[in-house]
Amino acid sequence: MDAEKIRREKFLSSRLLNDGCKSTARRNANYCFAVTAAIAALNIILYAVRGSDTGDFSVDPVWGSFSVNNLFAAVVRCFTHSNWQHVLLNMLCFLIAGIYLERKKGSLPFLLFMALMIPFTKFSTCTNDISLGGIGFSGVNYGLYGYIAVEYIFTLLRRRKRDIINIVAGAAMLGLIYFAMCFNGGTSSVGFEWYPYDLLHNLAHASGFVAGLVLGLVEQGTEWHCVGRRTDGEQ
């Protein structure tokens, strides 16, 4: 029994599942990408069961006035999709970004991160568009893209995080993100351009991307500052 427990804990703390530059204590461990899988499954199940109908929250896309109901409706509409292509493409993009970030953060920190990222990106979109009309998880995905771009720059700048796996995986992620931004299809067609067409032609996606950049700068900048102060104190 003890040997089995040791093997399980060794697997959960392995480099395959975890960034080697972070603590692999239970609160920071990656539990086989459970959060990423759960969010993707939730989106797919909701569409399979409800389709595009989210009840009262799908009836009135007009913002009208600031209210708790509108804020809740904005979050619900992140999990609403128009057809199977819409939900599956969004979840494919989320799986790639989610696996990358959950490995770096750990499952519990990633869950808390997504609890902040989802409303933050959607509220940013609503603010720019003054509307609840947009549906789908793509705005959140673009928030993750912006965050990953900032996080990768700080990874290169900080020696402690300059792990070869992080450098290669981050570079690969940036390539995949650029490819996703070149999408010029819709919810029922697929096409690509050589430049980030989707980012430049979709206000909701651009809003999510900027929100992710801001969140990344605040988080990474704060961490940089705290580590710097701790290092100075030790000297």
Side-chain angles (χ1 to χ4, degrees):
M1 185 69 177
D2 289 340
E4 178 63 28
K5 182 178 179 181
I6 291 172
R7 279 197 299 269
R8 185 168 63 250
E9 290 181 352
K10 194 172 182 179
F11 173 70
L12 290 175
S13 63
S14 69
R15 293 290 300 278
L16 176 66
L17 294 181
N18 292 279
D19 178 359
C21 299
K22 75 174 175 66
S23 166
T24 53
R26 286 189 175 185
R27 66 178 180 276
N28 293 322
N30 172 15
Y31 294 97
C32 300
F33 308 102
V35 175
T36 300
I39 292 174
L42 176 61
N43 275 272
I44 292 171
I45 290 170
L46 279 175
Y47 183 76
V49 173
R50 302 283 304 192
S52 299
D53 179 16
T54 50
D56 293 340
F57 296 111
S58 63
V59 174
D60 185 9
V62 179
W63 181 261
S65 60
F66 183 86
S67 68
V68 173
N69 187 72
N70 277 341
L71 295 178
F72 187 70
V75 173
V76 169
R77 292 176 76 82
C78 284
F79 297 88
T80 306
H81 293 84
S82 59
N83 56 37
W84 277 112
Q85 176 176 304
H86 192 200
V87 66
L88 292 178
L89 279 178
N90 273 344
M91 290 306 99
L92 174 62
C93 292
F94 171 70
L95 281 171
I96 294 170
I99 286 171
Y100 174 81
L101 286 175
E102 191 165 354
R103 177 184 175 274
K104 300 205 77 174
K105 290 180 173 293
S107 294
L108 179 57
F110 183 62
L111 176 62
L112 297 175
F113 172 79
M114 288 304 299
L116 175 62
M117 176 65 81
I118 290 172
F120 187 52
T121 51
K122 189 59 180 179
F123 297 166
S124 300
T125 300
C126 292
T127 300
N128 270 346
D129 210 20
I130 315 298
S131 169
L132 289 168
I135 61 173
F137 211 75
S138 52
V140 180
N141 286 340
Y142 268 81
L144 296 177
Y145 299 162
Y147 176 87
I148 289 170
V150 172
E151 188 270 344
Y152 185 65
I153 292 171
F154 276 85
T155 294
L156 297 179
L157 292 175
R158 295 176 60 188
R159 186 180 304 173
R160 185 177 67 85
K161 289 192 171 184
R162 221 176 291 157
D163 176 84
I164 185 62
I165 296 178
N166 288 342
I167 293 172
V168 173
M173 273 302 306
L174 292 183
L176 290 171
I177 286 171
Y178 184 83
F179 179 71
M181 288 180 174
C182 293
F183 182 74
N184 74 345
T187 57
S188 59
S189 62
V190 176
F192 293 91
E193 300 288 347
W194 62 269
Y195 65 98
Y197 178 94
D198 195 42
L199 175 67
L200 299 176
H201 289 79
N202 190 311
L203 179 61
H205 295 173
S207 301
F209 185 72
V210 172
L213 289 176
V214 171
L215 188 58
L217 286 170
V218 171
E219 184 198 271
Q220 296 296 316
T222 301
E223 184 180 342
W224 176 296
H225 178 69
C226 291
V227 170
R229 291 189 63 181
R230 188 160 57 244
T231 302
D232 291 341
E234 292 172 356
Q235 292 175 351

